[in-house]
């Protein structure tokens, strides 16, 4: 998960697709990739999914390949990001 919140997760810089603390983990129960940021500060963030730690293949708004950034207006606290590779859809909540 690369986005403008990566530094808040402990990455050296924002928009770093290779940062391990911003990596999604596959849940084998439903085959959805997830990342929960426990204490994301309030603010407006942008993000997208970059596969395999590079920008070579990435999905943005509406699951579009190389699509626009997704905007998250976050009130603060935990945020869970979900990526379904079957649909290429990315959600946060």
């Amino acid at each position: 998960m690369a986005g403008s919140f990566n530094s808040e997760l402990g990455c050296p810089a924002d928009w770093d697709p290779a940062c391990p603390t911003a990596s999604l983990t596959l849940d084998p129960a439903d085959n959805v990739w997830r990342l929960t940021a426990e204490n994301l500060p309030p603010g407006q963030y942008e993000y997208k999914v970059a596969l395999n730690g590079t920008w070579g293949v990435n999905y943005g708004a509406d699951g579009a390949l190389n699509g626009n950034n997704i905007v998250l207006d976050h009130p603060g606290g935990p945020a869970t990001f979900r990526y379904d590779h079957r649909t290429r859809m990315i959600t946060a909540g």
Side-chain angles (χ1 to χ4, degrees):
M1 188 64 61
S4 61
F5 54 79
N6 286 147
S7 58
E8 280 82 1
L9 300 181
C11 298
D14 289 336
W15 294 102
D16 180 359
C19 179
T21 60
S23 293
L24 300 160
T25 302
L26 180 63
D27 183 341
D30 60 5
N31 285 323
V32 172
W33 294 82
R34 289 185 174 78
L35 169 69
T36 298
E38 294 297 335
N39 295 303
L40 191 62
Q44 185 177 75
Y45 300 98
E46 294 186 17
Y47 66 96
K48 53 174 44 178
V49 170
L51 302 188
N52 302 314
T54 73
W55 286 110
V57 177
N58 67 83
Y59 297 98
D62 299 319
L65 181 63
N66 301 315
N68 293 327
N69 296 342
I70 301 164
V71 176
L72 170 65
D73 287 312
H74 186 62
T80 298
F81 299 87
R82 295 169 189 85
Y83 169 67
D84 187 331
H85 192 64
R86 296 165 294 196
T87 63
R88 312 291 198 262
M89 294 303 294
I90 307 114
T91 58

